[in-house]
Amino acid sequence: MLVQQHVQYLQSNGLEVTDMKNQEVFWVKFPTGYRIIMDQQELAKLAQFFKLHEDKGPGVIEMLYRVEKN
């Protein structure tokens, strides 16, 4: 159930989240078109990252996330 909450939270922030394999693998598309495949743990970390930066827009959060990930 927690996974579904993360999905809904990210979708409410403008991301497209598609369940690719029974809530084990997700295809995530950011508003800018950047796409990434994630497992449950990565999806939870992304939702947490969004919550940490709630004062910024999805585009800024995406850039921060991509820089931190690399």
Side-chain angles (χ1 to χ4, degrees):
M1 184 52 110
L2 190 56
V3 172
Q4 192 59 33
Q5 289 175 342
H6 294 314
V7 169
Q8 290 172 349
Y9 178 75
L10 292 170
Q11 288 173 334
S12 72
N13 279 283
L15 281 69
E16 291 179 36
V17 182
T18 305
D19 185 351
M20 300 292 287
K21 186 180 177 187
N22 301 321
Q23 294 191 348
E24 292 176 25
V25 178
F26 298 89
W27 179 77
V28 179
K29 182 179 175 190
F30 288 82
T32 62
Y34 174 70
R35 297 176 188 111
I36 189 169
I37 294 177
M38 301 182 150
D39 63 16
Q40 285 182 2
Q41 288 180 329
E42 292 170 315
L43 192 75
K45 287 179 185 176
L46 180 61
Q48 211 168 18
F49 193 82
F50 261 76
K51 288 176 184 175
L52 181 65
H53 299 286
E54 279 184 325
D55 59 326
K56 298 167 184 64
V60 173
I61 296 172
E62 174 191 342
M63 289 300 147
L64 291 172
Y65 179 77
R66 289 173 67 178
V67 167
E68 184 176 285
K69 191 161 174 72
N70 290 328

